[in-house]
Every structure is written in C-alpha cells, then in structure tokens.
C-alpha cells in the first residue's frame, strides 16, 4: 500500500490528540445519520474517527470505500462528494474573543438522501 501524506490515521503513540463526540440522530437499515461535535480541530478528524470504528462517511473515497450498491440504490445516487455538512460552526473572534456562530441549512442533495432513506422518495 504505501504511505499517503494527505491521509490521516489514529496513531496512539505518535499522533496528536483528537476528540469527537458523536450522537446518532437517526438509524436506518443501511446507514445512520450522526451529529459530530469536534472538541479539537484536526485534519480530516470526523472522517478518520468514523472510519476507525468501521463506519466511513457516505461518499468518502479516501477513508471509506465505494458505497454499497444497496445504499446507493436506497438514496438514488452514488455520491460524487462526501455526505458531510457543517450545520453550525462556532469559533472565537480573533480580536475580541466573542463567539462567532455561523449556521447553514442541510444541502438539498443530502436532504433528498435522507428523505429517500425515510421512505418518502
């Protein structure tokens, strides 16, 4: 296989600490919709943590694998992107330290995937 300088991994002895808390929002037969709360900000953190427990992000061709045909059929697509969305970002303002919050609605394609998994088509 070989080493990929862009790909990250969990390295207990050499790696930098990273913590993510996951909450399952909805379970489906073929997938789950989860919310991730990042306590640290490491490169590819969500993708690496989910892959490490055997549940890669839908559409993640680097840390996952080709999505199952059953899941792709269920949502009606083989995704061309990762099923990741930052619904809410909160950071400290760089000058005065007050919280800056940015929120964004779920993208149409991901909303459609969830509706299809819910059986609404």
């Amino acid at each position: 296989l070989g080493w990929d300088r862009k790909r990250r991994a969990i390295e207990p002895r050499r790696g930098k600490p990273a913590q993510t808390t996951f909450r399952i929002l909805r379970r489906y037969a073929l997938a789950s919709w989860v919310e991730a709360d990042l306590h640290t900000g490491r490169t590819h953190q969500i993708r690496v943590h989910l892959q490490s427990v055997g549940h890669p992000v839908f559409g993640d061709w680097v840390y996952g694998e080709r999505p199952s045909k059953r899941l792709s059929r269920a949502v009606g697509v083989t995704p061309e992107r990762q099923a990741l969305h930052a619904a809410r970002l909160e950071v400290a303002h760089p000058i005065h330290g007050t919280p800056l919050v940015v929120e964004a609605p779920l993208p149409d394609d991901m909303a459609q995937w969830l509706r299809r998994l819910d059986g609404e088509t």
Side-chain angles (χ1 to χ4, degrees), residues 10-86:
I10 294 176
E11 295 282 344
R13 287 191 212 124
R14 299 180 317 171
K16 295 177 182 177
Q19 182 183 1
T20 309
T21 302
F22 292 100
R23 185 167 65 101
I24 298 172
L25 301 176
R26 198 170 305 146
R27 292 180 195 268
Y28 300 99
L30 301 170
S32 293
W33 180 20
V34 299
E35 177 180 271
D37 186 12
L38 285 82
H39 303 280
T40 51
R42 303 288 180 217
T43 303
H44 303 178
Q45 181 172 327
I46 295 169
R47 298 165 64 197
V48 171
H49 284 171
L50 285 172
Q51 183 270 337
S52 76
V53 296
H55 298 284
V57 172
F58 184 54
D60 188 345
W61 300 82
V62 174
Y63 293 97
E65 55 190 41
R66 186 168 182 82
S68 76
K69 289 180 182 176
R70 288 179 58 208
L71 180 55
S72 290
R73 268 197 306 274
V75 298
V77 66
T78 298
E80 295 184 17
R81 70 177 191 90
Q82 301 157 20
L84 285 174
H85 170 64

